[in-house]
């Protein structure tokens, strides 16, 4: 199918580093969404805990946000769970 071939061509044109960034951002967003659901925390509640707007939390959950380590730590503290696990 032409659409699938076009999609594959577009995907192959994205540099590996950029693909890795997307994967990490989407992974963090998916993990955040899973923890929120598991703990019954709404996006609005998380926004209130962090002093953020609902729209910012919504943006985080799309996976298109470039998370800083500071933001990740603040989110982890607000949800009392880890988003990223670092092996020691």
């Amino acid at each position: 199918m032409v659409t699938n071939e076009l999609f594959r061509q577009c995907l192959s044109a994205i540099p590996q580093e950029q693909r890795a960034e997307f994967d990490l951002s989407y992974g963090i967003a998916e993990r955040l969404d899973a923890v929120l659901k598991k703990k019954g925390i709404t996006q609005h509640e998380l926004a209130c805990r962090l002093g953020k707007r609902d729209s910012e939390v919504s943006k985080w959950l799309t996976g298109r946000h470039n998370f800083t380590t500071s933001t990740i730590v603040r989110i982890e503290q607000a949800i009392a769970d880890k988003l990223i696990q670092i092996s020691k």
Side-chain angles (χ1 to χ4, degrees), residues 30-42:
E30 287 175 348
R31 173 70 180 142
L32 177 57
D33 185 55
V35 172
L36 293 178
K37 287 177 180 172
K38 177 179 82 173
K39 295 190 172 207
I41 302 170
T42 65

Side-chain angles (χ1 to χ4, degrees), residues 47 52-60:
K52 300 288 186 181
R53 289 172 296 176
D54 291 4
S55 61
E56 188 164 358
V57 172
S58 180
K59 180 182 173 185
W60 293 344

Side-chain angles (χ1 to χ4, degrees), residues 26 30 47 74 77 83:
Y26 282 110
E30 287 175 348
R74 290 187 65 221
Q77 290 175 347
L83 295 178

Side-chain angles (χ1 to χ4, degrees), residues 73-85:
V73 168
R74 290 187 65 221
I75 294 169
E76 288 179 338
Q77 290 175 347
I79 63 175
D81 211 328
K82 289 288 190 185
L83 295 178
I84 298 175
Q85 193 66 35

